[in-house]
Amino acid sequence: AYVPTVGSRLLTLSGQDLLSGRLINIDFTKSPGYTLLHFWHSESDSSLNDFPAVVQLAERYQSQLVVYGFPYEKKEALAKVRRLVAQHRFKCPQLLQYRPPLQQGAAVIQALQIDFFPTYMLLNREGIIVVRTHTLADAEAVLQQTNQRTSMEFY
């Protein structure tokens, strides 16, 4: 099976926001620089442990980054997932992916071949995957480099 990895280009992604119920179409070209896709699962300890760092990263790099969460959950877990999102004050949209895949339920998880949680994908404005990793620090390293380059341009 084709696994989108670094260098692959994604044209568009869409999903329903868990909290607002709105259909969200992710347009990479409208991002301030990068888009971070955060795939997580409420029964994965490593996903839960990363939550504070994801929230901090989104705040620290808000001028150059937009973040979308993709919780991969069974229908019975929705109340728990909503609680987690509120408790950790996630401000970014959470595009629910149903597990086990209901009809059209986990289209993004399937298309991107996500099989481990958390998984992070950092994409540039062209929709090209710059980082695909299980470690948030790998994505942050790219943002830090971009930050340094940007701040140097002002001198």
Side-chain angles (χ1 to χ4, degrees):
Y2 168 70
V3 178
T5 185
V6 171
S8 301
R9 183 163 188 224
L10 304 185
L11 295 176
T12 179
L13 289 176
S14 62
Q16 191 173 18
D17 183 34
L18 175 71
L19 299 180
S20 70
R22 285 185 311 132
L23 183 71
I24 292 182
N25 292 304
I26 300 175
D27 183 347
F28 303 112
T29 60
K30 294 201 170 108
S31 77
Y34 291 98
T35 301
L36 180 71
L37 309 179
H38 169 218
F39 298 92
W40 60 276
H41 176 47
S42 65
E43 287 173 24
S44 147
D45 287 344
S46 10
S47 285
L48 300 179
N49 292 340
D50 272 11
F51 280 0
V54 172
V55 171
Q56 285 168 357
L57 183 94
E59 285 171 4
R60 189 176 313 130
Y61 295 99
Q62 60 186 349
S63 64
Q64 64 189 94
L65 178 71
V66 59
V67 180
Y68 294 93
F70 288 86
Y72 183 50
E73 304 293 339
K74 292 188 169 133
K75 250 189 164 143
E76 309 82 79
L78 290 192
K80 175 185 178 183
V81 171
R82 285 195 175 97
R83 255 196 328 273
L84 284 168
V85 169
Q87 180 188 333
H88 290 279
R89 297 189 174 88
F90 276 129
K91 292 189 182 87
C92 56
Q94 299 293 323
L95 280 56
L96 186 65
Q97 302 289 296
Y98 279 121
R99 165 182 185 243
L102 301 162
Q103 202 68 33
Q104 301 295 306
V108 174
I109 298 273
Q110 288 163 337
L112 298 181
Q113 301 279 318
I114 307 294
D115 54 9
F116 183 88
F117 300 92
T119 292
Y120 301 98
M121 283 192 200
L122 189 67
L123 295 94
N124 65 16
R125 267 203 200 108
E126 285 78 53
I128 292 168
I129 300 172
V130 184
V131 176
R132 180 179 175 140
T133 181
H134 304 303
T135 311
L136 190 59
D138 295 344
E140 185 162 18
V142 172
L143 295 167
Q144 280 172 339
Q145 285 169 349
T146 309
N147 236 2
Q148 284 162 354
R149 279 202 302 273
T150 313
S151 56
M152 284 194 264
E153 285 165 15
F154 293 116
Y155 294 108

